[in-house]
Amino acid sequence: MIPIHHFLIISIALFCLGLYAVLTQKNMIRILIGVELMLNAGIINLIAFGQGEDAANEGQMMALFAIVLAAAAAAVALVIILKVYGQHNTIDPTQMDELKQ
């Protein structure tokens, strides 16, 4: 069995990469990818903490629920990005100063 600290190290690395992408990127799709990386780090934590001997798969069930929610959020975010691109012809969030044209 893999020790829990290995899962936590990978989770920390993923979360830091996602946070870096969210804070530094100027492309909305890359920002969305960063958010997804942070969600995956949380999912890894749920699974890692659900591996205990006394756990009855609660961590895995919560992780599955989080994956479904992340997929739905990604679909909605992509639709919003496509609408923004249709109105502004760019997906750079710094160039969008109006909500409606």
Side-chain angles (χ1 to χ4, degrees):
M1 187 162 170
I2 301 172
I4 196 167
H5 67 272
H6 291 291
F7 288 107
L8 296 179
I9 290 170
I10 291 173
S11 178
I12 289 169
L14 273 178
F15 189 84
C16 290
L17 284 172
L19 186 63
Y20 176 77
V22 167
L23 295 177
T24 61
Q25 298 299 322
K26 293 188 177 184
N27 186 331
M28 289 173 58
I29 293 177
R30 290 183 182 174
I31 292 171
L32 177 63
I33 290 171
V35 170
E36 291 293 326
L37 281 174
M38 290 189 293
L39 282 170
N40 286 332
I43 291 168
I44 288 174
N45 280 337
L46 288 173
I47 292 174
F49 289 121
Q51 291 292 323
E53 294 176 9
D54 58 344
N57 295 330
E58 289 95 6
Q60 287 86 355
M61 293 303 295
M62 290 179 64
L64 183 63
F65 185 68
I67 290 170
V68 170
L69 288 178
V76 170
L78 286 174
V79 169
I80 291 171
I81 290 171
L82 288 173
K83 285 295 210 178
V84 166
Y85 181 76
Q87 288 184 353
H88 296 281
N89 293 329
T90 184
I91 54 174
D92 184 4
T94 60
Q95 294 181 358
M96 292 172 230
D97 55 354
E98 296 178 355
L99 291 177
K100 188 175 181 181
Q101 280 183 314

Coordinates of all heavy atoms in Angstrom, one line a residue:
M1 N 0.8 -1.2 0.0 CA 0.0 0.0 0.0 C 0.9 1.2 0.0 O 1.9 1.3 0.7 CB -0.9 0.0 1.2 CG -1.9 1.1 1.2 SD -3.2 0.7 2.4 CE -4.1 2.2 2.4
I2 N 0.5 2.2 -0.8 CA 1.3 3.5 -0.9 C 1.0 4.3 0.3 O -0.2 4.6 0.7 CB 0.9 4.2 -2.2 CG1 1.2 3.3 -3.4 CG2 1.7 5.5 -2.3 CD1 0.7 3.8 -4.7
P3 N 2.0 4.9 0.9 CA 1.8 5.8 2.1 C 1.1 7.1 1.7 O 1.2 7.5 0.5 CB 3.2 6.1 2.6 CG 4.1 5.1 1.9 CD 3.5 4.6 0.7
I4 N 0.4 7.6 2.6 CA -0.5 8.8 2.4 C 0.3 10.0 2.0 O -0.1 10.9 1.2 CB -1.4 9.0 3.5 CG1 -2.6 10.0 3.1 CG2 -0.7 9.6 4.7 CD1 -3.7 10.0 4.1
H5 N 1.5 10.1 2.5 CA 2.3 11.3 2.2 C 2.7 11.4 0.8 O 2.9 12.5 0.2 CB 3.5 11.5 3.2 CG 4.6 10.4 3.0 ND1 4.5 9.2 3.6 CD2 5.7 10.4 2.2 CE1 5.6 8.5 3.3 NE2 6.3 9.2 2.5
H6 N 2.8 10.3 0.0 CA 3.1 10.3 -1.4 C 1.9 11.0 -2.1 O 2.1 11.8 -3.0 CB 3.3 8.9 -2.0 CG 4.6 8.3 -1.5 ND1 5.8 8.8 -1.9 CD2 4.8 7.3 -0.7 CE1 6.8 8.1 -1.3 NE2 6.2 7.1 -0.6
F7 N 0.7 10.6 -1.7 CA -0.5 11.2 -2.3 C -0.6 12.7 -2.0 O -0.9 13.5 -2.9 CB -1.8 10.6 -1.8 CG -2.0 9.2 -2.3 CD1 -1.9 8.1 -1.5 CD2 -2.5 9.0 -3.6 CE1 -2.1 6.8 -1.9 CE2 -2.7 7.7 -4.1 CZ -2.5 6.7 -3.3
L8 N -0.2 13.1 -0.8 CA -0.3 14.5 -0.4 C 0.8 15.3 -1.2 O 0.5 16.5 -1.5 CB -0.1 14.6 1.1 CG -1.2 14.0 1.9 CD1 -0.9 14.2 3.4 CD2 -2.6 14.6 1.6
I9 N 2.0 14.8 -1.4 CA 3.0 15.5 -2.2 C 2.5 15.7 -3.6 O 2.7 16.9 -4.1 CB 4.3 14.7 -2.1 CG1 4.9 14.8 -0.7 CG2 5.3 15.3 -3.1 CD1 6.1 13.9 -0.5
I10 N 1.9 14.7 -4.2 CA 1.4 14.9 -5.6 C 0.3 15.9 -5.6 O 0.2 16.8 -6.5 CB 1.0 13.6 -6.2 CG1 2.2 12.7 -6.4 CG2 0.2 13.7 -7.5 CD1 1.9 11.3 -6.8
S11 N -0.6 15.9 -4.6 CA -1.7 16.8 -4.5 C -1.2 18.2 -4.3 O -1.7 19.2 -5.0 CB -2.6 16.4 -3.4 OG -3.6 17.3 -3.2
I12 N -0.2 18.4 -3.5 CA 0.4 19.8 -3.3 C 1.0 20.3 -4.6 O 0.8 21.5 -5.0 CB 1.4 19.8 -2.1 CG1 0.7 19.6 -0.8 CG2 2.2 21.0 -2.1 CD1 1.6 19.3 0.3
A13 N 1.7 19.4 -5.3 CA 2.3 19.9 -6.6 C 1.2 20.2 -7.6 O 1.4 21.3 -8.3 CB 3.2 18.7 -7.1
L14 N 0.2 19.4 -7.7 CA -0.9 19.8 -8.6 C -1.6 21.1 -8.3 O -1.9 21.9 -9.1 CB -1.9 18.6 -8.7 CG -1.7 17.5 -9.6 CD1 -2.8 16.5 -9.5 CD2 -1.6 18.0 -11.0
F15 N -1.9 21.2 -7.0 CA -2.5 22.5 -6.5 C -1.7 23.7 -6.8 O -2.2 24.7 -7.3 CB -2.9 22.4 -5.1 CG -3.8 23.5 -4.6 CD1 -5.1 23.4 -4.8 CD2 -3.2 24.7 -4.0 CE1 -6.0 24.5 -4.4 CE2 -4.0 25.7 -3.6 CZ -5.4 25.6 -3.8
C16 N -0.4 23.6 -6.6 CA 0.5 24.7 -6.8 C 0.6 25.1 -8.3 O 0.6 26.2 -8.7 CB 1.9 24.5 -6.3 SG 2.0 24.5 -4.5
L17 N 0.6 24.0 -9.2 CA 0.6 24.3 -10.6 C -0.7 24.9 -11.1 O -0.6 25.9 -11.9 CB 0.8 23.0 -11.4 CG 2.2 22.4 -11.4 CD1 2.2 21.0 -12.0 CD2 3.2 23.3 -12.1
G18 N -1.8 24.5 -10.5 CA -3.1 25.1 -10.9 C -3.2 26.5 -10.4 O -3.6 27.4 -11.1
L19 N -2.7 26.8 -9.2 CA -2.7 28.1 -8.7 C -1.8 29.1 -9.5 O -2.2 30.2 -9.8 CB -2.3 28.1 -7.2 CG -2.4 29.5 -6.5 CD1 -3.9 29.9 -6.4 CD2 -1.8 29.3 -5.1
Y20 N -0.7 28.6 -9.9 CA 0.2 29.4 -10.7 C -0.4 29.7 -12.1 O -0.4 30.8 -12.6 CB 1.5 28.6 -11.0 CG 2.5 29.3 -11.9 CD1 3.2 30.4 -11.5 CD2 2.6 28.9 -13.2 CE1 4.1 31.0 -12.3 CE2 3.5 29.5 -14.1 CZ 4.2 30.6 -13.6 OH 5.1 31.2 -14.5
A21 N -1.1 28.7 -12.6 CA -1.8 28.9 -13.9 C -2.9 29.9 -13.8 O -3.1 30.8 -14.7 CB -2.3 27.6 -14.5
V22 N -3.7 29.9 -12.7 CA -4.8 30.8 -12.5 C -4.3 32.2 -12.3 O -4.9 33.2 -12.9 CB -5.7 30.4 -11.3 CG1 -6.6 31.5 -10.9 CG2 -6.4 29.1 -11.7
L23 N -3.2 32.4 -11.6 CA -2.7 33.7 -11.3 C -1.9 34.4 -12.4 O -1.8 35.6 -12.4 CB -1.9 33.7 -10.0 CG -2.7 33.3 -8.7 CD1 -1.7 33.2 -7.5 CD2 -3.8 34.3 -8.5
T24 N -1.3 33.6 -13.3 CA -0.4 34.2 -14.3 C -0.9 34.2 -15.7 O -0.4 34.9 -16.5 CB 1.0 33.4 -14.2 OG1 0.8 32.1 -14.5 CG2 1.6 33.6 -12.9
Q25 N -1.8 33.3 -16.0 CA -2.2 33.2 -17.4 C -3.2 34.3 -17.8 O -4.0 34.8 -17.0 CB -2.9 31.9 -17.7 CG -2.0 30.7 -17.4 CD -0.7 30.7 -18.3 OE1 -0.8 31.1 -19.5 NE2 0.4 30.3 -17.8
K26 N -3.1 34.7 -19.1 CA -4.1 35.7 -19.6 C -5.0 35.1 -20.7 O -5.6 35.8 -21.5 CB -3.2 36.8 -20.3 CG -2.5 37.6 -19.2 CD -1.9 38.8 -19.8 CE -1.2 39.6 -18.8 NZ -0.6 40.8 -19.2
N27 N -5.1 33.8 -20.6 CA -6.0 33.1 -21.5 C -7.0 32.3 -20.7 O -6.7 31.6 -19.8 CB -5.2 32.1 -22.4 CG -5.9 31.4 -23.4 OD1 -7.1 31.2 -23.3 ND2 -5.2 31.0 -24.5
M28 N -8.3 32.5 -21.0 CA -9.3 32.0 -20.2 C -9.4 30.4 -20.2 O -9.7 29.8 -19.2 CB -10.7 32.5 -20.6 CG -10.9 34.0 -20.2 SD -12.4 34.7 -20.9 CE -13.7 33.8 -20.2
I29 N -9.0 29.8 -21.3 CA -8.9 28.4 -21.3 C -7.8 27.8 -20.4 O -8.0 26.9 -19.7 CB -8.8 27.9 -22.7 CG1 -10.0 28.2 -23.5 CG2 -8.5 26.4 -22.8 CD1 -10.0 27.9 -25.0
R30 N -6.7 28.5 -20.4 CA -5.6 28.1 -19.5 C -6.0 28.3 -18.0 O -5.6 27.5 -17.2 CB -4.3 28.8 -19.8 CG -3.7 28.4 -21.2 CD -2.4 29.1 -21.4 NE -1.9 28.7 -22.7 CZ -0.9 29.2 -23.3 NH1 -0.2 30.2 -22.7 NH2 -0.5 28.8 -24.5
I31 N -6.7 29.4 -17.8 CA -7.2 29.6 -16.4 C -8.1 28.5 -16.0 O -8.1 28.0 -14.9 CB -7.9 31.0 -16.3 CG1 -6.8 32.1 -16.4 CG2 -8.6 31.1 -15.0 CD1 -7.4 33.5 -16.6
L32 N -9.0 28.1 -16.9 CA -9.9 26.9 -16.6 C -9.1 25.7 -16.4 O -9.5 24.9 -15.5 CB -10.9 26.8 -17.8 CG -11.9 25.6 -17.7 CD1 -12.8 25.8 -16.5 CD2 -12.6 25.5 -19.0
I33 N -8.1 25.4 -17.1 CA -7.2 24.2 -16.9 C -6.6 24.3 -15.5 O -6.5 23.3 -14.8 CB -6.2 24.1 -18.0 CG1 -6.8 23.7 -19.3 CG2 -5.1 23.1 -17.6 CD1 -5.9 23.8 -20.5
G34 N -6.2 25.5 -15.1 CA -5.6 25.7 -13.7 C -6.6 25.3 -12.7 O -6.3 24.7 -11.7
V35 N -7.9 25.8 -12.9 CA -8.9 25.5 -11.9 C -9.2 24.0 -11.8 O -9.3 23.4 -10.8 CB -10.2 26.2 -12.2 CG1 -11.4 25.8 -11.4 CG2 -10.0 27.7 -12.0
E36 N -9.1 23.3 -13.0 CA -9.3 21.9 -13.0 C -8.2 21.1 -12.3 O -8.4 20.1 -11.6 CB -9.5 21.4 -14.5 CG -10.7 21.8 -15.2 CD -12.0 21.2 -14.6 OE1 -11.9 20.0 -14.1 OE2 -13.0 21.8 -14.5
L37 N -7.0 21.6 -12.5 CA -5.8 21.0 -11.7 C -6.0 21.1 -10.2 O -5.8 20.2 -9.5 CB -4.5 21.7 -12.1 CG -3.9 21.3 -13.5 CD1 -2.7 22.1 -13.8 CD2 -3.6 19.8 -13.5
M38 N -6.5 22.3 -9.8 CA -6.8 22.5 -8.3 C -7.9 21.5 -7.9 O -7.8 21.0 -6.8 CB -7.1 23.9 -8.0 CG -5.9 24.8 -8.2 SD -6.1 26.5 -7.5 CE -7.3 27.1 -8.6
L39 N -8.9 21.3 -8.7 CA -10.0 20.4 -8.3 C -9.4 19.0 -8.2 O -9.8 18.2 -7.3 CB -11.1 20.5 -9.3 CG -12.1 21.7 -9.1 CD1 -13.0 21.8 -10.3 CD2 -12.8 21.5 -7.9
N40 N -8.6 18.6 -9.2 CA -8.0 17.3 -9.2 C -7.1 17.1 -8.0 O -7.1 15.9 -7.4 CB -7.2 17.0 -10.5 CG -8.2 16.8 -11.6 OD1 -9.3 16.3 -11.5 ND2 -7.7 17.1 -12.8
A41 N -6.4 18.1 -7.5 CA -5.6 18.0 -6.3 C -6.6 17.7 -5.1 O -6.2 16.8 -4.2 CB -4.9 19.2 -6.0
G42 N -7.7 18.3 -5.0 CA -8.6 18.0 -3.9 C -9.2 16.6 -4.0 O -9.4 16.0 -3.0
I43 N -9.5 16.2 -5.2 CA -10.0 14.8 -5.4 C -9.0 13.8 -5.0 O -9.3 12.8 -4.4 CB -10.4 14.6 -6.9 CG1 -11.6 15.5 -7.2 CG2 -10.6 13.2 -7.2 CD1 -12.0 15.6 -8.7
I44 N -7.7 14.0 -5.3 CA -6.6 13.1 -4.9 C -6.6 13.0 -3.3 O -6.4 12.0 -2.7 CB -5.3 13.5 -5.4 CG1 -5.2 13.2 -6.9 CG2 -4.1 12.8 -4.7 CD1 -4.0 13.7 -7.6
N45 N -6.8 14.2 -2.7 CA -6.8 14.2 -1.2 C -8.0 13.4 -0.7 O -7.9 12.6 0.3 CB -6.9 15.6 -0.7 CG -5.6 16.3 -0.7 OD1 -4.5 15.6 -0.6 ND2 -5.6 17.6 -0.7
L46 N -9.2 13.5 -1.3 CA -10.3 12.8 -0.9 C -10.1 11.3 -1.0 O -10.4 10.5 -0.1 CB -11.6 13.1 -1.7 CG -12.2 14.5 -1.4 CD1 -13.3 14.8 -2.5 CD2 -12.7 14.6 0.0
I47 N -9.5 10.8 -2.1 CA -9.2 9.4 -2.3 C -8.2 8.9 -1.3 O -8.3 7.9 -0.7 CB -8.8 9.1 -3.7 CG1 -10.0 9.4 -4.6 CG2 -8.3 7.7 -3.9 CD1 -9.7 9.3 -6.1
A48 N -7.1 9.8 -1.1 CA -6.0 9.4 -0.2 C -6.6 9.2 1.2 O -6.2 8.2 1.9 CB -4.9 10.4 -0.2
F49 N -7.4 10.1 1.7 CA -7.9 10.0 3.1 C -9.0 9.0 3.2 O -9.3 8.5 4.3 CB -8.4 11.4 3.6 CG -7.3 12.3 3.8 CD1 -7.2 13.5 3.2 CD2 -6.3 12.0 4.7 CE1 -6.2 14.4 3.4 CE2 -5.2 12.9 5.0 CZ -5.2 14.1 4.3
G50 N -9.6 8.5 2.1 CA -10.5 7.5 2.1 C -9.9 6.1 2.0 O -10.7 5.1 2.0
Q51 N -8.6 6.0 2.0 CA -7.9 4.7 1.9 C -7.7 4.0 3.2 O -7.2 2.9 3.3 CB -6.6 4.9 1.2 CG -6.6 5.2 -0.2 CD -7.2 4.1 -1.1 OE1 -6.9 2.9 -0.8 NE2 -7.9 4.4 -2.1
G52 N -8.1 4.6 4.3 CA -7.9 4.1 5.7 C -8.7 2.8 5.8 O -9.6 2.5 5.1
E53 N -8.2 2.0 6.8 CA -8.8 0.7 7.0 C -10.3 0.8 7.6 O -11.1 -0.1 7.3 CB -8.0 -0.1 8.0 CG -6.6 -0.5 7.4 CD -5.7 -1.2 8.4 OE1 -6.2 -1.5 9.5 OE2 -4.6 -1.3 8.1
D54 N -10.5 1.8 8.3 CA -11.9 2.0 8.9 C -12.8 2.7 8.0 O -14.0 2.9 8.3 CB -11.8 2.7 10.3 CG -11.1 4.0 10.2 OD1 -10.5 4.3 9.2 OD2 -11.3 4.8 11.2
A55 N -12.3 3.3 6.9 CA -13.2 4.0 5.9 C -14.0 3.0 5.1 O -13.5 2.0 4.7 CB -12.3 4.9 5.0
A56 N -15.2 3.4 4.9 CA -16.1 2.6 4.1 C -16.4 3.2 2.7 O -17.5 3.4 2.3 CB -17.4 2.4 4.9
N57 N -15.3 3.6 2.1 CA -15.4 4.1 0.7 C -16.1 5.5 0.7 O -16.6 5.9 -0.4 CB -16.1 3.2 -0.3 CG -15.3 1.9 -0.5 OD1 -14.0 1.9 -0.4 ND2 -16.0 0.8 -0.8
E58 N -16.1 6.2 1.8 CA -16.7 7.6 1.7 C -15.8 8.5 0.9 O -16.3 9.4 0.1 CB -16.8 8.2 3.1 CG -17.9 7.5 4.0 CD -17.3 6.4 4.9 OE1 -16.1 6.3 4.9 OE2 -18.1 5.7 5.5
G59 N -14.5 8.4 1.0 CA -13.6 9.2 0.2 C -13.8 9.0 -1.3 O -13.8 10.0 -2.1
Q60 N -13.9 7.8 -1.7 CA -14.1 7.5 -3.1 C -15.4 8.0 -3.6 O -15.5 8.5 -4.8 CB -14.0 6.0 -3.4 CG -12.6 5.5 -3.3 CD -12.2 5.1 -1.9 OE1 -12.9 5.3 -0.9 NE2 -11.0 4.6 -1.7
M61 N -16.5 7.9 -2.8 CA -17.8 8.4 -3.3 C -17.8 9.9 -3.4 O -18.4 10.5 -4.3 CB -18.9 7.9 -2.3 CG -19.1 6.4 -2.3 SD -19.5 5.8 -3.9 CE -21.1 6.5 -4.2
M62 N -17.2 10.6 -2.4 CA -17.1 12.0 -2.5 C -16.2 12.5 -3.7 O -16.5 13.5 -4.3 CB -16.5 12.6 -1.2 CG -17.5 12.5 0.0 SD -16.8 13.1 1.5 CE -16.6 14.8 1.1
A63 N -15.2 11.7 -4.0 CA -14.3 12.0 -5.1 C -15.1 11.9 -6.4 O -15.0 12.7 -7.3 CB -13.1 11.1 -5.1
L64 N -15.9 10.8 -6.5 CA -16.7 10.6 -7.7 C -17.7 11.8 -7.9 O -17.9 12.3 -9.0 CB -17.5 9.3 -7.6 CG -18.3 8.9 -8.8 CD1 -17.5 8.8 -10.0 CD2 -19.1 7.7 -8.5
F65 N -18.3 12.2 -6.8 CA -19.2 13.3 -6.8 C -18.5 14.6 -7.2 O -19.0 15.4 -8.1 CB -19.9 13.5 -5.4 CG -20.9 14.6 -5.4 CD1 -22.1 14.4 -6.1 CD2 -20.7 15.8 -4.7 CE1 -23.1 15.4 -6.0 CE2 -21.7 16.7 -4.6 CZ -22.9 16.6 -5.3
A66 N -17.3 14.8 -6.7 CA -16.5 16.0 -7.1 C -16.1 16.0 -8.6 O -16.1 17.0 -9.3 CB -15.3 16.1 -6.3
I67 N -15.8 14.8 -9.1 CA -15.5 14.7 -10.6 C -16.7 15.0 -11.4 O -16.6 15.7 -12.4 CB -15.0 13.2 -10.9 CG1 -13.6 13.0 -10.2 CG2 -14.9 13.0 -12.4 CD1 -13.1 11.6 -10.3
V68 N -17.9 14.6 -11.0 CA -19.1 14.9 -11.8 C -19.4 16.4 -11.7 O -19.7 17.0 -12.8 CB -20.3 14.1 -11.2 CG1 -21.6 14.6 -11.8 CG2 -20.1 12.6 -11.5
L69 N -19.2 17.0 -10.6 CA -19.4 18.5 -10.5 C -18.4 19.2 -11.3 O -18.7 20.2 -11.9 CB -19.4 18.9 -9.0 CG -20.6 18.5 -8.2 CD1 -20.4 19.0 -6.8 CD2 -21.8 19.1 -8.8
A70 N -17.1 18.8 -11.3 CA -16.1 19.4 -12.1 C -16.3 19.3 -13.6 O -16.1 20.3 -14.3 CB -14.7 18.8 -11.7
A71 N -16.9 18.2 -14.0 CA -17.2 18.0 -15.4 C -18.3 19.0 -15.8 O -18.3 19.6 -16.9 CB -17.6 16.6 -15.7
A72 N -19.3 19.1 -15.0 CA -20.4 20.0 -15.3 C -19.9 21.5 -15.3 O -20.3 22.3 -16.1 CB -21.5 19.8 -14.3
A73 N -19.1 21.8 -14.3 CA -18.5 23.2 -14.2 C -17.7 23.5 -15.5 O -17.7 24.6 -16.0 CB -17.7 23.4 -13.0
A74 N -16.9 22.5 -15.9 CA -16.1 22.7 -17.1 C -16.9 22.9 -18.3 O -16.6 23.8 -19.2 CB -15.1 21.5 -17.3
A75 N -18.0 22.2 -18.5 CA -18.9 22.4 -19.6 C -19.5 23.8 -19.6 O -19.6 24.4 -20.6 CB -20.0 21.3 -19.6
V76 N -20.0 24.2 -18.5 CA -20.6 25.6 -18.4 C -19.5 26.6 -18.6 O -19.8 27.6 -19.4 CB -21.2 25.8 -17.0 CG1 -21.6 27.2 -16.8 CG2 -22.4 24.9 -16.8
A77 N -18.3 26.5 -18.1 CA -17.3 27.4 -18.3 C -16.9 27.5 -19.8 O -16.6 28.6 -20.3 CB -16.0 27.1 -17.5
L78 N -16.8 26.4 -20.5 CA -16.5 26.4 -21.9 C -17.6 27.1 -22.7 O -17.3 27.8 -23.7 CB -16.3 25.0 -22.4 CG -14.9 24.4 -22.0 CD1 -14.9 22.9 -22.5 CD2 -13.8 25.1 -22.6
V79 N -18.8 26.9 -22.4 CA -19.9 27.6 -23.1 C -19.8 29.1 -22.8 O -19.9 29.9 -23.8 CB -21.3 27.1 -22.6 CG1 -22.4 28.0 -23.1 CG2 -21.5 25.7 -23.0
I80 N -19.5 29.6 -21.6 CA -19.3 31.0 -21.3 C -18.1 31.5 -22.1 O -18.2 32.6 -22.7 CB -19.1 31.2 -19.8 CG1 -20.4 30.9 -19.1 CG2 -18.6 32.6 -19.5 CD1 -20.3 30.9 -17.6
I81 N -17.0 30.8 -22.2 CA -15.8 31.2 -23.0 C -16.2 31.4 -24.4 O -15.8 32.4 -25.1 CB -14.7 30.3 -22.8 CG1 -14.1 30.4 -21.3 CG2 -13.6 30.5 -23.8 CD1 -13.1 29.3 -21.0
L82 N -17.0 30.4 -25.0 CA -17.4 30.6 -26.4 C -18.3 31.8 -26.6 O -18.1 32.5 -27.7 CB -18.1 29.3 -26.8 CG -17.2 28.1 -27.0 CD1 -18.0 26.8 -27.3 CD2 -16.2 28.3 -28.1
K83 N -19.2 32.1 -25.7 CA -20.0 33.3 -25.8 C -19.2 34.5 -25.8 O -19.4 35.5 -26.5 CB -21.1 33.3 -24.8 CG -22.2 32.3 -25.0 CD -22.9 32.7 -26.2 CE -24.4 32.3 -26.1 NZ -25.1 32.7 -27.3
V84 N -18.2 34.6 -24.8 CA -17.4 35.8 -24.7 C -16.5 35.9 -26.0 O -16.4 37.1 -26.5 CB -16.5 35.6 -23.5 CG1 -15.3 36.6 -23.5 CG2 -17.3 35.8 -22.2
Y85 N -16.0 34.9 -26.5 CA -15.2 35.0 -27.8 C -16.1 35.4 -28.9 O -15.7 36.2 -29.8 CB -14.6 33.6 -28.1 CG -13.8 33.7 -29.4 CD1 -12.5 34.3 -29.3 CD2 -14.2 33.2 -30.6 CE1 -11.8 34.4 -30.5 CE2 -13.5 33.3 -31.7 CZ -12.2 33.9 -31.7 OH -11.5 34.0 -32.8
G86 N -17.4 35.0 -28.9 CA -18.3 35.5 -30.0 C -18.6 36.9 -29.9 O -18.8 37.6 -30.9
Q87 N -18.6 37.5 -28.7 CA -18.9 39.0 -28.6 C -17.6 39.8 -28.7 O -17.7 40.9 -29.2 CB -19.6 39.2 -27.2 CG -21.0 38.7 -27.2 CD -21.7 39.1 -25.9 OE1 -21.0 39.6 -25.0 NE2 -23.0 38.8 -25.8
H88 N -16.5 39.4 -28.1 CA -15.3 40.2 -28.0 C -14.2 39.8 -29.0 O -13.2 40.5 -29.1 CB -14.8 40.2 -26.6 CG -15.7 40.8 -25.6 ND1 -15.8 42.1 -25.4 CD2 -16.5 40.2 -24.7 CE1 -16.7 42.3 -24.5 NE2 -17.2 41.2 -24.0
N89 N -14.3 38.7 -29.6 CA -13.3 38.1 -30.5 C -11.9 37.9 -29.8 O -10.9 38.0 -30.5 CB -13.1 39.0 -31.8 CG -14.3 38.9 -32.7 OD1 -15.0 37.9 -32.7 ND2 -14.6 40.0 -33.3
T90 N -11.9 37.7 -28.5 CA -10.7 37.4 -27.8 C -11.1 36.6 -26.5 O -12.3 36.8 -26.1 CB -9.9 38.7 -27.4 OG1 -8.7 38.3 -26.7 CG2 -10.7 39.6 -26.5
I91 N -10.2 35.9 -26.0 CA -10.4 35.2 -24.7 C -9.4 35.7 -23.7 O -9.2 35.0 -22.7 CB -10.4 33.7 -24.9 CG1 -9.1 33.2 -25.5 CG2 -11.6 33.2 -25.6 CD1 -8.9 31.7 -25.6
D92 N -8.8 36.8 -23.9 CA -7.9 37.5 -22.9 C -8.8 38.2 -21.9 O -9.5 39.2 -22.3 CB -7.0 38.4 -23.6 CG -5.9 39.0 -22.7 OD1 -5.9 38.6 -21.5 OD2 -5.1 39.8 -23.2
P93 N -8.8 37.8 -20.7 CA -9.7 38.5 -19.7 C -9.3 40.0 -19.4 O -10.2 40.7 -19.0 CB -9.6 37.7 -18.4 CG -8.5 36.7 -18.7 CD -8.1 36.7 -20.1
T94 N -8.1 40.4 -19.7 CA -7.7 41.7 -19.5 C -8.2 42.7 -20.5 O -8.3 43.9 -20.3 CB -6.2 41.9 -19.4 OG1 -5.6 41.5 -20.7 CG2 -5.6 41.0 -18.3
Q95 N -8.7 42.2 -21.7 CA -9.2 43.0 -22.7 C -10.7 43.2 -22.7 O -11.3 43.9 -23.5 CB -8.8 42.5 -24.1 CG -7.3 42.5 -24.3 CD -6.9 42.0 -25.7 OE1 -7.8 41.6 -26.4 NE2 -5.6 42.1 -26.0
M96 N -11.3 42.5 -21.7 CA -12.8 42.6 -21.6 C -13.2 43.6 -20.5 O -13.0 43.3 -19.4 CB -13.4 41.2 -21.4 CG -13.2 40.3 -22.5 SD -13.6 38.7 -22.0 CE -12.2 37.8 -22.6
D97 N -13.6 44.8 -20.9 CA -14.0 45.8 -19.9 C -15.5 46.0 -19.9 O -16.0 46.8 -19.1 CB -13.2 47.1 -20.2 CG -13.4 47.6 -21.6 OD1 -14.0 46.9 -22.4 OD2 -12.9 48.7 -21.9
E98 N -16.2 45.4 -20.8 CA -17.7 45.6 -20.8 C -18.4 44.2 -20.7 O -17.9 43.2 -21.2 CB -18.1 46.2 -22.2 CG -17.6 47.6 -22.3 CD -18.0 48.2 -23.7 OE1 -18.6 47.5 -24.5 OE2 -17.7 49.4 -24.0
L99 N -19.5 44.2 -20.1 CA -20.3 43.0 -20.0 C -21.1 42.8 -21.2 O -21.4 41.6 -21.6 CB -21.1 43.0 -18.7 CG -20.3 42.9 -17.4 CD1 -21.3 43.0 -16.2 CD2 -19.6 41.6 -17.3
K100 N -21.6 43.9 -21.8 CA -22.5 43.7 -22.9 C -22.1 44.8 -24.0 O -21.9 45.9 -23.6 CB -24.0 43.9 -22.5 CG -25.0 43.6 -23.5 CD -26.3 43.6 -22.9 CE -27.4 43.3 -24.0 NZ -28.7 43.4 -23.5
Q101 N -22.2 44.4 -25.2 CA -21.9 45.4 -26.3 C -23.1 45.9 -27.0 O -24.0 45.2 -27.2 CB -21.0 44.8 -27.4 CG -19.5 44.8 -26.9 CD -18.6 44.3 -28.0 OE1 -19.0 43.3 -28.6 NE2 -17.6 44.9 -28.3

